Amino acid sequence: MMAVLMMTALCASAQSKPEPYFSFRELPNMLKWCPAPPDTVGAAFAYDIMQYMWGKEMRLKDKERTEIAIRDAVYSLECIMQEFSEPLGLQMSEEETPEIYRLLRDAKATCENISGFPKYYYKRIRPFMRFHEHTATPQFEPELRRNFSYPSGHTILGWCSALLLSEINPEQADTILKRGMMYGESRVIVGAHWQSDVDAGRLAAAAVYARMHTNKRFQEQMQLACQEFRIKMGLATNEEQKAYRKAIEKRAKEEAQAKKDAK
């Protein structure tokens, strides 16, 4: 078993560049099916304001939850793996779980391909900018000011990661999905997003998740991630370990051939 995992780590480390499963043109167009952000005179926007005020209240009343929200504000795959390791039941990292890492890495790149177009189409101003206030993460405000609010990219990444990890460990789905909901909620608590940004982010994540399942490379990588999880948890049969090893060897040969052909 140890030899199998070591070989996997070596293969994964040889390719660290993200490869999205779909380009933005191949993903569902959010302008055609996702509701536009609410206007500034209706009930939906009034609810956005109420939620923004709730987030400010949370920062005052619940320091522990606010600290989680501040951690969630770091947009990175490392943050996702750290925050979701406990719900998953396995400590994730590029070194220790290279196949889960690879799955999440390429899924993250895919998630980023669905959010850019609607952000720059709607050009929605973030709540802290509208109210001329600061967020709970002032170090990120310069970057946030250059980026638009709808939909929430953090939420897309967090909810899609929760869906993927729930597939890897369905026994812990309730706990994983709860953490995924918290991840989006954190954006309201720190004051970086409106509630409707977060709601749209969850819809976008579900669309990305469904679309990725039509991709053969994704299907193969999800199978490897599930097998890696079972091996790490001591649940894999001998047949599963053999299948895992063969799949890793097959992919390594294909990647070596692709590099050779590219020269």
Side-chain angles (χ1 to χ4, degrees), residues 112-238:
E112 289 164 354
N113 282 340
I114 201 173
S115 63
F117 188 42
K119 275 182 178 286
Y120 284 90
Y121 180 85
Y122 293 116
K123 297 182 179 179
R124 193 183 196 192
I125 300 301
R126 294 175 183 271
F128 77 94
M129 297 169 63
R130 183 177 181 87
F131 290 105
H132 304 288
E133 298 176 339
H134 286 292
T135 67
T137 55
Q139 69 272 29
F140 298 129
E141 287 178 19
E143 180 181 353
L144 293 175
R145 290 179 182 276
R146 295 191 298 268
N147 195 352
F148 297 106
S149 194
Y150 187 93
S152 166
H154 278 73
T155 301
I156 297 173
L157 175 59
W159 189 238
C160 189
S161 297
L163 293 172
L164 293 169
L165 295 172
S166 296
E167 188 170 345
I168 291 172
N169 186 7
E171 296 298 322
Q172 286 292 108
D174 290 343
T175 304
I176 296 168
L177 293 173
K178 181 178 179 179
R179 185 64 182 90
M181 289 294 288
M182 288 177 63
Y183 198 88
E185 183 184 69
S186 291
R187 303 307 289 156
V188 176
I189 292 175
V190 298
H193 277 288
W194 304 101
Q195 181 64 50
S196 53
D197 301 338
V198 172
D199 295 342
R202 290 175 182 142
L203 290 174
V208 171
Y209 176 74
R211 185 73 172 103
M212 287 192 300
H213 277 76
T214 67
N215 182 285
K216 182 180 179 182
R217 179 166 63 88
F218 168 85
Q219 294 168 4
E220 293 173 349
Q221 188 58 44
M222 172 57 79
Q223 184 175 16
L224 285 173
C226 290
Q227 290 171 334
E228 179 180 71
F229 176 80
R230 288 181 58 79
I231 291 172
K232 284 284 187 177
M233 300 297 289
L235 302 172
T237 64
N238 289 335

Side-chain angles (χ1 to χ4, degrees), residues 20-167:
Y21 295 109
F22 290 103
S23 69
F24 81 95
R25 295 184 184 279
E26 297 171 314
L27 291 169
N29 184 348
M30 291 185 68
L31 300 186
K32 295 183 178 180
W33 55 269
C34 189
D39 57 39
T40 58
V41 295
F45 188 66
Y47 181 65
D48 269 347
I49 294 175
M50 290 174 61
Q51 285 298 97
Y52 176 71
M53 297 304 175
W54 168 81
K56 291 174 63 176
E57 184 179 0
M58 286 290 288
R59 300 205 297 262
L60 294 173
K61 291 186 175 181
D62 194 334
K63 297 299 182 183
E64 182 178 356
R65 179 65 183 89
T66 301
E67 286 300 317
I68 294 174
I70 291 172
R71 295 203 309 266
D72 288 346
V74 179
Y75 185 84
S76 70
L77 190 52
E78 289 71 25
C79 176
I80 288 291
M81 290 189 294
Q82 182 60 40
E83 295 301 322
F84 281 88
S85 284
E86 183 175 347
L88 179 66
L90 176 66
Q91 187 64 44
M92 294 181 285
S93 71
E94 182 177 3
E95 295 75 24
E96 295 299 322
T97 56
E99 297 306 325
I100 295 175
Y101 169 83
R102 186 169 180 149
L103 177 77
L104 294 175
R105 180 201 67 191
D106 292 352
K108 175 177 177 287
T110 312
C111 286
E112 289 164 354
N113 282 340
I114 201 173
S115 63
F117 188 42
K119 275 182 178 286
Y120 284 90
Y121 180 85
Y122 293 116
K123 297 182 179 179
R124 193 183 196 192
I125 300 301
R126 294 175 183 271
F128 77 94
M129 297 169 63
R130 183 177 181 87
F131 290 105
H132 304 288
E133 298 176 339
H134 286 292
T135 67
T137 55
Q139 69 272 29
F140 298 129
E141 287 178 19
E143 180 181 353
L144 293 175
R145 290 179 182 276
R146 295 191 298 268
N147 195 352
F148 297 106
S149 194
Y150 187 93
S152 166
H154 278 73
T155 301
I156 297 173
L157 175 59
W159 189 238
C160 189
S161 297
L163 293 172
L164 293 169
L165 295 172
S166 296
E167 188 170 345

